[in-house]
Amino acid sequence: MASGADLIVTPAWVEAHLDTVRVIDCSVRFEPRPVGSSIIHSCRDAYLAAHVPGAAYLHMVDDLSDPQGAYAFTLAPQAQIDRVLSAIGVTPDDTIVVYGNPEGTPVAVTRAWWVLTVSGCRDVRIMDGGLARWTAEGRSVSMGEERFTPSVFKGQRDETAVARKAEVAEAIRGDALLINALSPQQHAGTGGAHYGRPGHIPGSTNIPAQDLMDPATGAFAPVEEIRAAFADLSPDRAAITYCGGGIAAAATLFAMKVSGHDRVTLYDNSLLEWSTEPDLPMETGEG
């Protein structure tokens, strides 16, 4: 089971382990809206045109989100995850590598990593730079559908890794640290999309996902820079990451795990839930 910096793997590492790991293209493309959740577009056609040999494709919404959820990207029920992973032949003991292709929005890959990790997959890693780096370094790709022998995936959901509204409200009054993964402009409420009301949850620290993972290429910042971003935070202090809908929050949570912060959870519905409930406090300004 990988931890720390080993959660990030290079294309060279993936190529050397293709016979022993499961690779999944988790690309989707975000179309942001001024208010509310982004519109999500499938990148399955891009996967069919070129993918890492042997890779499967999973869609962040259709496969990994709850179709009956009150919010756009709510974590899918465990039974749905079991069904999806069984269809592509994954078992809980597999080492899984997820990545994105150039057509997609890279941060979605970290959301897929989080969903799989909290749903019973014991060893999930992310390929740095995605398919763009894979091909730029001269590696071959496959086209079309892949065939998989189905498995029987029975995962155990880690409910302790999922923060709920009540826990976030308690964090405002308590010792847990709230971390907003949105941009500084969104955090301050001065620009960018918002999700019902602009700004941030009171008491939040702003550590933007865009500073940890290149929003265009999916390349992570050097590990030393990732660690420096969290240098002022005690690894013993519990933290909750959030954003608009739990996507950018997954990138910041992933980076925290890379830097050795294990007491961190993710507010699944984030501001899509919080900001639309008028009795819940929001602030603007740098905070």
Side-chain angles (χ1 to χ4, degrees):
M1 180 176 179
S3 62
D6 290 339
L7 290 166
I8 302 173
V9 295
T10 65
W13 186 95
V14 176
E15 183 178 45
H17 293 84
L18 273 181
D19 291 340
T20 57
V21 303
R22 296 302 313 274
V23 183
I24 305 175
D25 181 336
C26 297
S27 307
V28 292
R29 180 174 61 82
F30 290 9
E31 180 184 342
R33 295 186 292 177
V35 179
S37 61
S38 297
I39 299 169
I40 305 299
H41 299 277
S42 173
C43 288
R44 183 172 180 80
D45 286 347
Y47 160 81
L48 293 174
H51 57 262
V52 173
Y57 177 79
L58 291 180
H59 188 292
M60 188 193 76
V61 177
D62 295 351
D63 295 317
L64 303 178
S65 300
D66 185 355
Q68 306 301 322
Y71 303 95
F73 313 125
T74 300
L75 177 62
Q78 185 63 47
Q80 177 178 327
I81 301 296
D82 290 350
R83 183 173 64 253
V84 165
L85 295 182
S86 294
I88 60 172
V90 169
T91 72
D93 293 325
D94 284 335
T95 294
I96 300 168
V97 176
V98 294
Y99 75 92
N101 67 51
E103 297 296 321
T105 303
V107 73
V109 176
T110 63
R111 173 68 182 194
W113 169 87
W114 180 77
V115 171
L116 297 179
T117 298
V118 303
S119 300
C121 296
R122 300 187 180 99
D123 187 0
V124 190
R125 314 181 192 197
I126 298 179
M127 185 171 77
D128 194 28
L131 189 68
R133 180 174 170 184
W134 176 276
T135 55
E137 294 177 353
R139 295 179 176 86
S140 64
V141 297
S142 294
M143 301 173 62
E145 298 282 0
E146 297 276 357
R147 295 182 179 276
F148 305 102
T149 301
S151 62
V152 179
F153 187 95
K154 292 279 188 186
Q156 181 67 44
R157 174 65 48 81
D158 182 2
E159 296 292 351
T160 66
V162 186
R164 310 296 182 187
K165 178 175 61 178
E167 295 167 76
V168 175
E170 180 61 31
I172 296 174
R173 303 184 293 270
D175 294 329
L177 176 66
L178 291 171
I179 300 176
N180 183 1
L182 294 172
S183 72
Q185 295 78 18
Q186 289 171 297
H187 180 77
T190 58
H194 69 81
Y195 301 89
R197 287 178 287 160
H200 57 269
I201 299 171
S204 301
T205 294
N206 184 211
I207 303 180
Q210 66 187 25
D211 293 346
L212 306 167
M213 179 186 198
D214 190 310
T217 67
F220 289 100
V223 171
E224 295 78 11
E225 291 183 17
I226 291 175
R227 289 174 178 151
F230 304 103
D232 293 336
L233 308 182
S234 169
D236 297 324
R237 185 181 182 186
I240 300 171
T241 65
Y242 74 92
C243 58
I247 313 302
T252 295
L253 182 146
F254 179 82
M256 292 185 74
K257 294 280 190 178
V258 168
S259 66
H261 291 259
D262 291 325
R263 295 191 64 200
V264 55
T265 59
L266 185 148
Y267 179 21
D268 190 26
N269 293 313
S270 286
L271 292 179
L272 286 176
E273 176 179 53
W274 186 274
S275 69
T276 55
E277 299 195 18
D279 292 339
L280 297 175
M282 294 278 292
E283 291 182 342
T284 56
E286 293 185 3

